[in-house]
Structures are given as structure tokens and as C-alpha cells.
Amino acid sequence: MAKKQTAAANHRGTDDDPVFGYRALPGIADEMLDREGNVRPVWQRLLATLGRLDETELANRFARADRYLRDAGVFYRVYGAKESTDRSWPLSHIPVLIDEKEWATVSQGLVQRAELLEKVVADIYGENRLVREGLLPPALIASNPQFLRPLVGVKPADGHFLHFVSFEIGRGPDGNWWVLSDRTEAPSGAGFALENRVATTRAFSNLYAETHVHRLAGFFGEFRDALQNGKLHPDDRIAVLSPGIANETYFEHAYIARYLGFMLLEGEDLTVVGGRVMVRTVAGLKPVGVLWRRLDAAFADPLELNQSSHIGTPGIVEALRAGSVSIVNALGTGIVETRAFLAFMPAICRHLLGEEQKLPSIATWWCGQPAEREQVAANLDRMVIGPAYATRPFFDDNGRSVLGATLGEEARASIADWLGAEGGKLVGQEVVTLSTTPAWVRGRLTPRPMSLRVFAARTRDGWQIMPGGFARIGSGDDVAAIAMQAGGTAADVWIVSDRPVERTTLLPAEESFTRNMPGSLPSRAADNLFWLGRYIERAEGALRILRAWHGRFAETADPDLPLLRDVSDYLAALEIDTRQPVPDSLLANIASALFSAGNIRDRFSPDGWLALNDLSQTARKFHATVQAGDDATRAMTVLLRKLAGFAGLVHENMYRFTGWRFLSIGRYLERGLHMTRLLGHMSGPDAPDGAYDMLLEIGDSVMTHRRRYNVSTAALTVTDLLALDPLNPRSVLYQLNEIKTEVELLPNAFVNGQMSPFYREAMRLHSGLAVMTPEAMTLGVYNRLERDLESLSDLLARTYLG
């Protein structure tokens, strides 16, 4: 299909053109032009702004947007042949602008389509009239991998199958919109649309303030309220159900959960008891009433669906039968997003709604029927042939579709045989020519093909369409380059009014409020917080020892000096190699801390995440460049400062509730173990010369020792300060005192008026050390204390993290 050409499509601005301000701007795109070839009024303010800015100012503005996304940690995952990699979110800085009157027409079509999809799904899993009356072929249901037979006859607890859907829509150069695909399984991208908006407004803050752009917060607020109202019991929780950190859009799962105030859960967090879905928390099992699932339905329940699933929860389907939980969207709804359904939607719309589709689908033929096979074979030059049960537009299906116009004579001759043998698995679709939108490419506006991802949410007042969404922009003229995995980018979409719009937020409007306590802490989140604290403290302990070691090595250049050799042997037992200025094991501890933090992104501040990433990147850079001795000493100091910055952010900003306590207990426990091991190894009668001074340096207590004791370093004074001083934040006793304080405030610290076993053990360790004297602290005492601290960690895991 040839792209429509107009004189205006070839238009290039001149210095005298009032639309473009002070300088010419090339790159007029279809989206900017109306049917007569004139620049749409909605674009004129943006083009004038761009015309007034030189390239340096524009580059600075775009860098500001990119910096925001980088600092916020926005990423998506690209899957390669061997492994996946995380990439920064690929923002296309120029927003797509659509007039609100045109958007109202698009929205009406999408509301109609959402309601139609709801009716189709309800029929497939209910009365099955569409098949019985010949509007859907039986094979299209029975052979469809998205059809979940165990869900037939299961009615959703809230009466609806669909609650949150998205649509991939495109506009042709002639101005008409089409639906390219429906997303009903677990639609992604809404969170990225929010981040696109924030980043784009960083680049065009003045323009955004002057332009009447519809806000996005109201859309999310209405959907949040609808989910809150959909709870079956007052004590039910609402959660986002994620496949986990390995998913390509995990960032969005965490972002949405944090933005709306929902729990972020994975399948292992849940269990089904007595027909109700429960979340494992540190305070015991708590009921979950609404699950906004972001994993494919087949993986939700390994008991009745995909038995190989390791990310689901056995019994979920049974809970659905019992009507005790609502799932957004209902399991099995992904069937209507398979590509073949587009061929039947026009007739189904007329049958069920009594009207034509207001927003038509891209022309599609299911090749499981003779007439349709002949139609596709006879019109190869304007067809793309692909899998019937694919759930993506043809340009986003990883090359599984075949463009008819590119086939050679031999392939064309065999096309009828192919369609005849596998027609039920194939569809033909008319090749689309998407309109173009301006993108900033190498210093100039350049037309690029685009499609829009638009979202619809079921609210108390019916379906509501997000006023915007995000546009997927091609990396070249080829439509297939729109796919994010193929290098495409994403742009914000501004729905522009000619009058001021309501400035909605998610904050309550009332002046009075109720202070709600933070929600229950899932056991998995507590586990990650606990180990985040341990890994961070473990890294700090290693850094302090390595800095002291390299500082002395810089003075002597002799690694066989008794003190250096002794410390090297100690570190070797912990798998820390002093022959590496920045050891692999140190990088591994920092990476483990980053992984633990990544698993709780919904509970982790963006500043903390940024600081932890900065620490990791700096450590990797030093690993490749730093030399032993003075260079390594300075590097360790830099890393310690960055780590202290991270710890300070957490300490100053994290809310003092259950999550904070598990993070803190992890830190205190690891610091206590670190100092106990060091003292046991370096404070005995056989300690080499300089060991006590080195211990004080590692314990950051040199100045305190000078003030507290009027003598030189000795075994008793060092032991008193680093093991038994309750006021020294580096001492072992201090750690046990803090652990005891935090444990006392954990859920179920007291059971039936008695201490829990975990609390009792923490009290015993603290009391036992508090009555000790420096003279009594022998190697045997330190070894026993080390074992007891490790046992305390195991007891915590059995009590709260199982």
C-alpha cells in the first residue's frame, strides 16, 4: 500500500514561516497535518517553542529528561539469544499531540471495544452462544493456547472479566484510526506512561505549564477507587501480582504498586487456605481480596493450569470458584487478544451491540476457512501472514510474520499449499502504513512511524480511557522498527484542550484525614530487607579491613609482613583475596545488596536506589583500574563514603515500621558478626604487632580510644571498647542491644503474654554479653558468640521468613 503523499507532506519550514518561530524546522510528519495538509493548531505552540531554542538548549533539555529517567531507575529488559539485559527506558523526547475533540472520538470507539471484549469473554467462558450461532469457529476456541478450560463456568466475584485493558492503535496517513491489537491478558505500559509524562515535562516544563494538557492522575485515581470498592471483605488487601524481578516490565509493577499504595506480591508470597487467598506476612497469614495480575494466566496456578509454573500459587483457580478473590483481569481473558479474533470482531459487534465498530480493526482474515485462504493468497502483495494465535501486532512478533510483497516466485507458488496445510494456525492481515510523528534525530525533527498504546480502566462510572498513553516510535522508516525490542522508542502523548483542564492528583481533597498504618509486610519482602542490611554491612566490613591493609602495604610494600600476612589469611577464609585491590567477593556482596533491593523496589526510595547503583558502578570501575597500596586505600575511602551516603539516606528517610526493623536487624547482626570474628582472630595473645591499632582503625574507634583510655592500645582496652562498650556503635554489645530493641517491636514478639523463642534468644545473647568483663573474653567466648549470632539469624528466618 503506497503511502499517501501531499504537497504539505513535503513542506519544509522557512525562516519566514510564523509557525516555526525564529528558524526553519524540517521534518513535518503526518501527525502534524490535517486532511488539507495544514499544520494542526494543536502542534503550533510546540513547533514555535522548538523554533526558538538552539540545539544546545534543546540538548540540555533532553538531557534533563534522560537524567530523570536514569535517576529514577526506569528500565526495561531486552531478551537476547543467550541472556537478557536491562536498558534505560528509551524516551523519544518530542511528545505526540492530539486535540481533545479528536481524542473524544477515539475514546468512544475504545469504550465500545472494551465493552465488546467483555461480552465476548463472558460468552466464551459462559453460554458459548457465539460458537453455537456461527459467529466464532469452534476451532478458534478449542485450539487456542490462551483458552483455559478449567475456567469455563467460573464467574468472577465482582461480575466482570475485564477491568484494565489496553489497545495498540495506529493512524494512517489519511487520518483514520485503526485498532492494531487488543491487550487483555496483563496489559503493560501504564506505569511507563506516567514516567514518560514526568520526564517529558522536565524537558518542556514551561510549554507544559502553558498548554492545557489533560492530566493522568485522575485516571489512576478512579481505577484505584474502583479496586478499593471491589473488596469483598473490609480486611482484604489489594496487591499487584508480579512474575518477579526477571520480567521485562518489573520496574513498572513496582512503580504502579508504590504509586497506588498496593502491595507488590509474587506467587510464592501467596497461599490458599479454606478457599481464600492469603499472603504470608511477618504477622502471619492475611487475606487478599483483589489481585491485579501481571503474569500470564496459565502460570497463575500450577495445580490446575500450567504444571511447570514456578511463579504461580496452587489453588488460585479453586479460590476463584469459591468467589473469594477478584483478579484483574480474570484468568483466561487473554484469548480475545489473539490475532485471529480481529477477523470476527466486526460481525460480533453487530450481533452483540447492534452497531458497527466505531474504531475498526486492521483488516484480518483467519485462514482456517476456504474463502479467507483464497482472499489472502490472491492479494499477497498487500498482505502480511503470521501466527493466528499471536498476541502482538505483526511488527512486534519477533519476525514470525511474512510480508507477502517480499516473497520470491518460488515461495509465492507454494503459498496456497502452506495456507491449506496450516491455515487454522495462520491469519492474513492487510499491510498497514502508519502515520508519522516528529522525533528528534541527530539534531533535527525527523518523521518516524508510530503507534499508540492506550489504556482503559473499569471505574464506578464505567470504562474510562486514559487521556494519553504512550506512543511507540520507530527507529527508522520501517514499521517493524517500532517494537521496543527492535530499538524503537517511546514518547509521551499529550491530549490538549483549548481551555484550562482540571489539575487532578491522587491526594485526598478533604482537609480531614485518617492516619492509616502501613500495610502488612510480606515475608519475602522482610527477607530481602534483612539480607539487604546484611550485604551492605558485610561490604562495609570488608572495605574497612581492606583499607587498613592497603594503607599499611603502601608503607612497606611487603605483603609478608606478619600483620599483613595474618590479615590476608583471615580474609582468605572469608573468600576475600588481598591480591585483588578491589576483590571479586566485594563486588558480589554489593551486587547481592542491589539484587535484594531490586526485589523490593516498591518499598525502596528512588534516592536510595540511585545511591546503591552509584556504589555498584563505582566499585566495578575501581575493580578494573585500581592498583594495590595507596591507590586502593583512596578507592576504599571513596566507596566507604558512598556506602555511608546510602546508609544515611536509608536511616534518615525510611519509615520506622516493620520493614525498617528487618533491615536494621540485618545490619546489626552482620556488624556484630564482623566485629566478633575480628576480635576472636586479632586480640589473642598471639596477635602480631600492630594488631590492636589496626582493630581500632577498622572499628572506626581510634579517637574514642584515646579519649576513653589514658594508656596505649592493649588487649583489655581494645576488647572493652569494641566488644563490651554499650555506647560505641561499633561494639558487639551495642549491636545486641539494638537487635533486642527492634525485636521487641516486631509482630508476635509476645505470644500469650510470653516472649517468643526468637525474642527470648535475643535477650539471652544480650544479657550474657552485658555481664562479661574484658578479662573473660577469650577465643572460646568469641567462637561461641559467633555461632550464637548465626543461630539467631536462622531463628529469625524460621519465625518470620518461612
Side-chain angles (χ1 to χ4, degrees):
M1 182 184 293
K3 183 174 179 179
K4 178 182 178 182
Q5 299 290 336
T6 67
N10 296 317
H11 170 75
R12 295 294 179 265
T14 67
D15 290 334
D16 298 325
D17 193 332
V19 170
F20 298 105
Y22 301 118
R23 64 184 178 88
L25 281 171
I28 296 297
D30 299 329
E31 280 298 314
M32 302 162 65
L33 304 175
D34 60 21
R35 293 179 185 271
E36 287 71 42
N38 301 312
V39 174
R40 298 174 190 267
V42 72
W43 284 92
Q44 292 181 5
R45 188 190 296 268
L46 172 61
L47 292 177
T49 299
L50 293 175
R52 289 192 295 269
L53 300 174
D54 59 33
E55 290 189 12
T56 300
E57 174 63 17
L58 275 174
N60 289 337
R61 286 170 174 255
F62 296 160
R64 192 183 308 152
D66 293 338
R67 186 165 54 249
Y68 165 77
L69 292 172
R70 186 171 57 252
D71 291 350
V74 185
F75 73 92
Y76 75 110
R77 186 160 285 114
V78 176
Y79 297 105
K82 295 182 179 179
E83 60 182 12
S84 62
T85 56
D86 292 348
R87 293 188 181 175
S88 298
W89 184 247
L91 178 68
S92 182
H93 302 94
I94 306 298
V96 175
L97 276 59
I98 301 175
D99 184 87
E100 70 171 354
K101 297 183 180 66
E102 180 180 12
W103 190 250
T105 302
V106 172
S107 296
Q108 290 172 8
L110 294 180
V111 167
Q112 180 206 52
R113 193 172 187 90
E115 194 56 43
L116 178 62
L117 291 171
E118 167 73 24
K119 291 181 179 295
V120 173
V121 175
D123 179 78
I124 290 172
Y125 289 100
E127 297 181 354
N128 211 16
R129 284 186 173 183
L130 294 175
V131 171
R132 191 162 58 247
E133 296 174 10
L135 290 157
L136 280 176
L140 193 61
I141 307 297
S143 302
N144 199 314
Q146 299 295 325
F147 177 59
L148 301 182
R149 194 174 300 277
L151 275 302
V152 172
V154 177
K155 295 182 178 180
D158 64 354
H160 299 294
F161 287 85
L162 296 176
H163 311 80
F164 195 89
V165 299
S166 72
F167 308 93
E168 201 78 27
I169 65 175
R171 182 179 6 212
D174 59 359
N176 293 320
W177 289 96
W178 313 305
V179 174
L180 305 176
S181 69
D182 303 299
R183 314 295 296 139
T184 56
E185 173 70 343
S188 64
F192 291 122
L194 280 169
E195 289 288 37
N196 277 353
R197 175 60 54 87
V198 177
T200 304
T201 55
R202 296 291 176 94
F204 296 107
S205 55
N206 56 338
L207 177 66
Y208 185 76
E210 298 167 358
T211 306
H212 305 313
V213 180
H214 284 270
R215 271 46 174 183
L216 304 181
F219 171 83
F220 287 96
E222 290 289 334
F223 185 55
R224 180 191 62 185
D225 293 345
L227 294 184
Q228 293 281 7
N229 293 331
K231 294 193 301 183
L232 303 177
H233 305 92
D235 61 340
D236 280 347
R237 277 100 180 132
I238 301 176
V240 176
L241 181 60
S242 171
I245 194 171
N247 186 263
E248 64 179 341
T249 56
Y250 175 77
F251 167 83
E252 187 199 12
H253 307 168
Y255 180 86
I256 286 289
R258 184 169 59 232
Y259 182 70
L260 297 180
F262 297 158
M263 302 176 79
L264 179 64
L265 302 179
E266 297 178 21
E268 66 182 87
D269 295 324
L270 300 171
T271 186
V272 178
V273 179
R276 293 194 70 182
V277 178
M278 313 291 281
V279 56
R280 297 181 176 93
T281 77
V282 296
L285 297 178
K286 303 295 181 182
V288 175
V290 180
L291 282 172
W292 185 358
R293 68 176 176 90
R294 299 302 301 272
L295 78 167
D296 291 345
F299 292 92
D301 187 346
L303 192 63
E304 297 200 50
L305 303 175
N306 188 333
Q307 297 181 8
S308 65
S309 172
H310 296 286
I311 58 176
T313 305
I316 282 283
V317 172
E318 184 57 37
L320 288 172
R321 291 194 186 100
S324 64
V325 65
S326 295
I327 292 187
V328 178
N329 291 320
L331 300 185
T333 52
I335 189 170
V336 292
E337 72 176 36
T338 52
R339 199 180 293 172
F341 266 81
L342 295 176
F344 302 93
M345 295 304 284
I348 292 175
C349 184
R350 289 191 292 270
H351 179 77
L352 293 181
L353 302 183
E355 57 189 16
E356 297 292 335
Q357 289 180 296
K358 296 178 181 179
L359 206 62
S361 309
I362 180 175
T364 304
W365 294 265
W366 180 55
C367 298
Q369 303 171 116
E372 282 71 14
R373 286 198 296 271
E374 294 175 6
Q375 172 75 12
V376 171
N379 296 275
L380 276 181
D381 284 340
R382 60 188 185 91
M383 291 286 175
V384 58
I385 303 172
Y389 301 127
T391 58
R392 301 287 195 276
F394 74 85
F395 54 77
D396 197 14
D397 71 352
N398 297 319
R400 292 185 295 165
S401 294
V402 176
L403 190 61
T406 64
L407 295 175
E409 290 301 322
E410 184 176 345
R412 285 171 177 264
S414 64
I415 199 75
D417 294 336
W418 179 38
L419 294 178
E422 300 186 35
K425 300 178 182 178
L426 298 170
V427 294
Q429 290 187 302
E430 191 170 20
V431 175
V432 297
T433 299
L434 295 176
S435 67
T436 58
T437 194
W440 194 258
V441 181
R442 291 186 290 275
R444 59 183 292 162
L445 285 180
T446 305
R448 287 285 187 259
M450 71 134 198
S451 69
L452 261 58
R453 182 167 295 184
V454 188
F455 302 89
R458 185 183 295 280
T459 71
R460 290 171 294 185
D461 300 322
W463 288 103
Q464 182 171 331
I465 305 300
M466 179 190 290
F470 71 83
R472 299 205 292 172
I473 312 297
S475 57
D477 294 333
D478 183 6
V479 172
I482 286 178
M484 304 291 281
Q485 300 279 337
T489 56
D492 190 18
V493 178
W494 291 8
I495 308 303
V496 181
S497 175
D498 56 6
R499 63 182 68 86
V501 298
E502 184 180 1
R503 296 178 177 270
T504 55
T505 75
L506 289 188
L507 298 176
E510 299 84 0
E511 293 184 2
S512 61
F513 64 91
T514 299
R515 177 183 289 169
N516 295 317
M517 293 303 291
S520 302
L521 181 68
S523 297
R524 182 183 53 84
D527 189 28
N528 280 289
L529 285 163
F530 174 70
W531 280 100
L532 171 61
R534 291 199 64 172
Y535 284 128
I536 284 297
E537 197 60 41
R538 192 173 294 177
E540 180 178 344
L543 283 170
R544 290 188 176 279
I545 299 174
L546 288 167
R547 183 174 67 169
W549 192 94
H550 282 286
R552 285 156 180 77
F553 177 75
E555 298 172 357
T556 65
D558 182 8
D560 291 323
L561 196 72
L563 177 60
L564 296 184
R565 171 55 57 194
D566 184 69
V567 174
S568 292
D569 292 343
Y570 170 80
L571 291 173
L574 300 177
E575 299 182 348
I576 300 175
D577 189 352
T578 53
R579 292 173 298 180
Q580 292 181 304
V582 181
D584 292 336
S585 57
L586 175 63
L587 296 183
N589 281 326
I590 296 175
S592 294
L594 198 60
F595 179 80
S596 295
N599 276 295
I600 47 171
R601 285 294 298 272
D602 60 313
R603 299 174 181 273
F604 211 67
S605 75
D607 286 337
W609 179 255
L610 178 63
L612 196 53
N613 266 292
D614 182 45
L615 173 68
S616 177
Q617 292 167 9
T618 305
R620 290 199 299 271
K621 181 181 73 173
F622 286 164
H623 179 69
T625 59
V626 165
Q627 303 296 315
D630 191 56
D631 193 25
T633 304
R634 288 196 298 269
M636 298 301 147
T637 299
V638 170
L639 292 175
L640 279 169
R641 287 173 181 167
K642 288 180 177 291
L643 199 151
F646 167 76
L649 279 169
V650 172
H651 186 273
E652 292 299 322
N653 298 331
M654 193 170 179
Y655 190 78
R656 295 325 196 246
F657 200 58
T658 310
W660 156 265
R661 307 198 193 292
F662 279 95
L663 176 67
S664 299
I665 290 171
R667 292 194 66 195
Y668 296 138
L669 187 67
E670 191 65 37
R671 183 175 290 187
L673 276 167
H674 164 71
M675 190 53 67
T676 298
R677 291 189 186 114
L678 267 178
L679 287 167
H681 183 81
M682 297 181 66
S683 65
D686 298 329
D689 289 344
Y692 298 139
D693 290 326
M694 193 173 190
L695 271 171
L696 290 174
E697 181 181 335
I698 294 169
D700 200 16
S701 300
V702 174
M703 294 178 62
T704 304
H705 186 274
R706 289 173 183 168
R707 290 192 177 99
R708 292 290 308 270
Y709 309 98
N710 295 321
V711 295
S712 300
T713 54
L716 293 180
T717 59
V718 170
T719 300
D720 184 56
L721 184 59
L722 296 182
L724 303 176
D725 192 330
L727 301 180
N728 182 8
R730 294 282 167 181
S731 77
V732 181
L733 182 59
Y734 182 92
Q735 314 314 315
L736 288 174
N737 184 64
E738 294 300 306
I739 290 173
K740 176 178 70 70
T741 300
E742 298 298 344
V743 169
E744 188 177 65
L745 297 173
L746 288 179
N748 301 324
F750 290 90
V751 180
N752 296 326
Q754 295 184 336
M755 292 182 185
S756 69
F758 178 59
Y759 186 23
R760 185 179 295 112
E761 180 63 11
M763 287 285 290
R764 185 187 70 79
L765 289 182
H766 174 264
S767 301
L769 190 62
V771 298
M772 296 292 285
T773 62
E775 294 83 357
M777 297 299 293
T778 63
L779 178 59
V781 172
Y782 286 122
N783 289 340
R784 183 171 64 253
L785 182 57
E786 180 183 346
R787 290 193 300 271
D788 287 344
L789 286 169
E790 291 285 15
S791 296
L792 187 66
S793 176
D794 295 339
L795 186 55
L796 178 143
R798 290 196 299 271
T799 304
Y800 292 105
L801 310 180

